[in-house]
């Protein structure tokens, strides 16, 4: 059961309404009660009567077949796995359709406007309409906040920073030297705009290279908890619209991310590297500095990228190669090892001491 | 010398008392002064008269043999390495025994109860006895804090969060959407309960999947600085009793950790993966989503886990394999390379250009 | 253009003045107007008239050749790539020379002294001259801050901590159990002095080892955003002068870093490991515990260090080897795979199942 203390549910809906919201088709429509009342979403193994659930990963087939949900969102290709008589909403992308249903039951909550007396807001700051500023937040000189922004407790919005409408900046965030678009969603502990890591060597001392750029972020960008985005050295660090960044990610100075990129947790991208649009970077990947990664590139988790990557392909390994090549080499090594172990006197394979 | 500005010492003890506290035996008891007064713990190379030290790692043999400590905790198996005439407490697990002695000299300090006037505590919050809330902490609506809890400066305990007795939540922590057990120890910068990283694709835009779960944490759980634990999407993210998590760790939505797990720094565990009990995960390991890792599994540092792992075994490498297989393959590759370099015209091995 | 809202420019300078500041020579001096007025720095592709730029990486040759800058800092070796008639400052280390020019245009700004009324400063704290303490910062009992220190908003300086002159501690930092030298530069979200990750096992429970050390940091140390440095267990964790640490780095208890080390983002160094002086550690490297890494060692990004490393050499791979050996093995594996694919029936290389 979704915990109503934390998430406020909105209404119940007829099956037919949910099908429409989801852009899905009711399977075997003629023999189904399309007015069936659904009053919540639930995971397969916790769902009960009146709830709708979601089958999207073959790993959960057993949970699906044993589920007590009143209806399911799923793909056409899996219909033969469905329990007999189950009520099914057939969707092209079950994940997307179920997300729309979930959003209908649990719409984003509007925050009540409030400038906490316990915050610190510079008189030179420009605040839009319906803004909420939580206790112990600091809004610096000449800051511009758009309408409907939320600034969490303990967060610093440094001098001259601009943030567009409808942005949600969670608690304990630090933002300096940045221009941020609309509908930003930054999770707690995000650090934006601090110095990049730039030094020159002089007689055994690291001479600090002044970091004179900014961080420029487009619209609908999400940044995960405790991720760090350094400002540029001479140019700006840039993140284009609709790019989503997970937790504990590091972007060095002058990095540029295109539109709609998807950067999974603990990725590190070194200074001045540019990603095109819709690049997907798996967890814990490292990308060296001064590289170009083409649009639509996909990089497998834990890869290490040391060269430019042509777009539209998948890569893996460290150093990263086209992913099939990398997988085959790993397979080859294992097979060669096994074969040698059988045919050889063991000299090459023991390593036991 | 332990710096008494930072750590308050409690008493001095007779050797016999320490042996009892440690569950250790005094070696050669008859010829030792069991009333010897020990007044502090110290590392091997800094210890002096009246101090007890600890020899638990053969790497520090030289420091052990040159140490000026008045007594040592150590294992029986290493007795022949001890300096002649040294006073020894022989322990089954010297690490554990010395930890108990250290805890006797430096017991956990009780914090004096105080609700700082500079904090922000919702009137709807329920506070237990002997609570300390530091300046600029925020306690949200309907929060429940058990007895003897400490909430550090700048920390946010979000609406409806519950925290059990004797929990210590350090400075600059953010907790939302969570139910936390007793005796929690969360270090600074921990982020708990923010949105998981869930999106569906729609026409080049990432449609946000509502994150409707919580984080449920058992008793005696420790979480390291700047670690991030996302709340569940439909189900809850769960951490069972006595599990210990190091710094900068990432747990994705719906992850479940069993009892007594040990997750070392910079590990990332992707969404919906389940670990059994007493799993040990080395530093910088990545574990992909939707996997099952059996109880008592051990995973070597830097491994990448891409498949379910059967419990009770050790694994290593990326992709992770049984650790002996992985080590032998690495050894095999190095040997094959060396042999080829010798016998071959160099064609396969140069790579020098 | 450098955004003057975020970075305050100081003056314009004659070419000859900049050459002197940079320790550079004006190329073809007799035919150049050494009184040419330069009024800003700029990146190659954004520079215009009156601005000086920097060519230091062959990757940007095209941008250099198309640049509209009035002058360039560059190395002698690249002179033949320069556009005809370009005004050039020839430097031994163009990166260093340009950093000095940038620092002339954009000197470090002095912060105006202020103890914010919205901060919390213990009356037992000792504050030097010209200190700035931002809102919601907490200065604990008996803290000592040197002259000209800056403490950002929401930052905690815990009881008994000492920080030397001219130190800049950014927003949302947590420091406890630490003695810090002069000219520290700590970026937002840094965590210093929390418990190390030390446990002993007892009947299925992790018994906490008291963490009784401190963190001792020298002069001119920089620490990146959200990096974590645990205090020592029995000894101290130590960082020597002029060492620079990037974002999201983890240093375990008792780690010791020598002088002038350079630790790139997302590195993890496990407990009790010691690095000599001037060690360079690439991004996402992991170093196991209780190791010694010699002075002047260089470790390639993403390496995993499992053994002591002799100084003065470069290493790579996981487990780390001398870097040439590692590169050749990777090359060898790829070549052997390719050769086998051609000559073999495919048995060893398919992996396509």
């Amino acid at each position: 059961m979704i915990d109503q203390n934390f998430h406020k549910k909105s209404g119940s809906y007829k099956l037919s309404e949910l099908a429409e919201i989801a852009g899905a088709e009711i399977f075997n429509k003629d023999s189904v009660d399309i007015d069936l009342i659904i009053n919540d979403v639930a995971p397969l193994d916790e769902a009960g009567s009146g709830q709708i659930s979601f089958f999207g990963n073959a790993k959960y087939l057993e949970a699906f077949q044993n589920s007590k949900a009143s209806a399911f969102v799923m793909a056409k290709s899996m219909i033969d796995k469905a329990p007999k008589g189950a009520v099914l909403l057939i969707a092209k992308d079950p994940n997307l359709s179920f997300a729309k249903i979930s959003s209908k039951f649990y719409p984003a909550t509007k925050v009540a406007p409030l400038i906490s007396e316990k915050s610190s807001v510079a008189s030179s700051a420009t605040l839009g309409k319906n803004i909420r500023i939580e206790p112990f937040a600091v809004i610096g000189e000449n800051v511009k906040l758009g309408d409907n922004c939320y600034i969490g407790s303990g967060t610093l919005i440094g001098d001259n920073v601009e943030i567009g409408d409808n942005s949600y900046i969670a608690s304990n965030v630090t933002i300096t030297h940045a221009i941020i678009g609309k509908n930003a969603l930054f999770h707690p502990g995000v650090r934006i705009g601090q110095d990049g890591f730039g030094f020159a060597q002089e007689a055994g001392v690291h001479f600090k290279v002044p970091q004179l750029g900014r961080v420029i972020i487009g619209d609908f960008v999400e940044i995960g908890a405790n991720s760090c985005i350094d400002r540029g050295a001479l140019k700006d660090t840039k993140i284009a619209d609709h790019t989503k960044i997970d937790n504990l990610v590091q972007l060095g100075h002058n990095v540029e991310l295109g539109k709609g990129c998807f950067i999974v947790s603990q990725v590190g991208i070194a200074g001045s590297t540019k990603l095109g649009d819709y690049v997907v970077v798996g967890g814990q990947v490292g990308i060296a500095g001064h590289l170009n990664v083409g649009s639509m590139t996909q990089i497998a988790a834990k890869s290490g990228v040391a060269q430019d990557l042509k777009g539209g392909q998948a890569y893996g390994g460290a150093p990263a190669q086209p992913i099939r090549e990398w997988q085959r080499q790993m397979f080859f090594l294992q097979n060669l090892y096994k074969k040698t172990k059988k045919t050889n006197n063991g000299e090459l394979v023991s390593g036991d001491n």
Side-chain angles (χ1 to χ4, degrees), chain A:
Chain A
M1 282 265 294
I2 307 302
D3 185 336
Q4 302 290 318
N5 282 332
F6 294 111
H7 307 280
K8 291 291 165 235
K9 191 158 66 87
S10 163
S12 55
Y13 304 93
K14 290 182 191 170
L15 184 68
S16 55
E17 289 175 294
L18 293 182
E20 200 182 333
I21 287 158
E25 280 186 38
I26 301 173
F27 178 69
N28 226 344
K29 198 169 179 176
D30 296 343
S31 60
V32 166
D33 171 13
I34 66 167
D35 293 333
L36 178 71
I37 297 298
I38 302 291
N39 53 48
D40 208 350
V41 291
L44 290 167
D45 58 350
E46 298 175 12
S49 179
Q51 300 181 337
I52 188 166
S53 195
F54 159 64
F55 175 54
N57 182 332
K59 281 213 164 194
Y60 301 110
L61 178 59
E62 200 184 321
F64 173 43
Q65 293 182 330
N66 293 324
S67 178
K68 305 226 180 322
S70 288
F72 302 90
V73 178
M74 63 180 297
K76 197 168 191 173
S77 59
M78 303 293 274
I79 279 182
D80 59 325
K81 309 290 192 194
K84 231 182 166 178
V87 175
L88 308 177
L89 296 189
I90 301 304
K92 254 193 199 163
D93 179 346
N95 189 26
L96 175 61
S97 290
F98 192 72
K100 290 186 167 181
I101 290 172
S102 294
S103 299
K104 190 73 186 176
F105 279 107
Y106 296 92
T109 50
K110 282 199 182 164
V111 289
L114 171 78
I115 313 291
S116 168
E117 287 181 5
K118 295 186 172 181
S119 65
S120 174
V121 180
S123 57
S124 58
T126 306
L127 306 186
K129 282 177 277 180
N130 300 319
I131 280 187
R132 187 176 183 95
I133 297 178
E134 294 281 348
F136 317 129
V138 176
I139 311 295
E141 300 291 344
N142 305 311
V143 164
K144 286 182 190 146
L145 297 182
D147 297 343
N148 311 310
C149 283
Y150 173 96
I151 308 295
S153 65
T155 285
L156 168 66
I157 309 297
D159 296 349
N160 301 297
V161 166
E162 300 179 18
I163 300 180
D165 297 344
N166 313 314
S167 291
Y168 186 100
I169 314 298
S171 190
N172 292 316
V173 169
T174 312
I175 304 178
T176 67
H177 306 87
I179 309 292
I180 294 164
K182 296 177 182 175
N183 296 84
L185 173 50
F186 295 173
H187 294 290
V190 164
R191 311 296 168 203
I192 292 178
Q194 57 281 345
D195 284 1
F197 199 58
F199 300 91
Q201 309 305 317
E202 185 175 38
V205 166
H206 301 292
F207 185 91
K208 189 167 176 67
V209 177
Q211 302 292 304
L212 304 173
R214 303 168 300 178
V215 178
I216 308 297
I217 296 183
D219 298 338
F220 295 96
V221 170
E222 181 166 344
I223 301 180
N226 285 348
S227 284
C228 299
I229 300 173
D230 290 346
R231 71 173 183 265
L234 264 185
K235 313 185 87 164
D236 295 323
T237 302
K238 289 179 189 165
I239 301 175
D241 298 350
H242 293 288
T243 280
K244 309 294 182 183
I245 296 175
D246 202 350
N247 299 344
L248 292 165
V249 166
Q250 154 72 2
L251 301 188
H253 50 191
N254 303 358
V255 163
E256 297 186 18
L257 304 185
K259 270 186 301 183
C261 290
F262 201 73
I263 313 292
V264 177
S265 182
Q266 295 176 323
V267 163
I269 303 182
S272 300
T273 283
K274 293 181 191 180
L275 273 59
D277 298 335
Y278 304 108
V279 176
V280 177
V281 185
Q284 297 185 339
V285 165
I287 307 183
H290 298 282
L291 298 180
N292 285 292
V293 174
S295 290
M296 312 288 289
T297 298
Q298 299 201 319
I299 305 175
K302 262 194 157 358
S303 300
V305 178
Q307 292 185 307
D308 288 355
L309 298 182
K310 214 185 119 186
Q313 292 189 36
Y315 299 84
Q321 308 171 55
I323 198 162
R324 297 297 299 136
E325 285 298 294
W326 171 62
Q327 289 167 336
R328 283 168 171 167
Q329 282 169 30
M330 291 297 106
F331 182 85
F332 165 67
L333 174 62
Q334 288 183 29
N335 276 5
L336 188 63
Y337 159 73
K338 279 181 204 156
K339 196 179 167 188
T340 307
K341 199 163 62 169
K342 274 191 206 151
T343 63
N344 174 290
N345 60 10
E347 166 205 356
L348 289 175
V349 301
S350 90
D352 276 335
N353 40 43

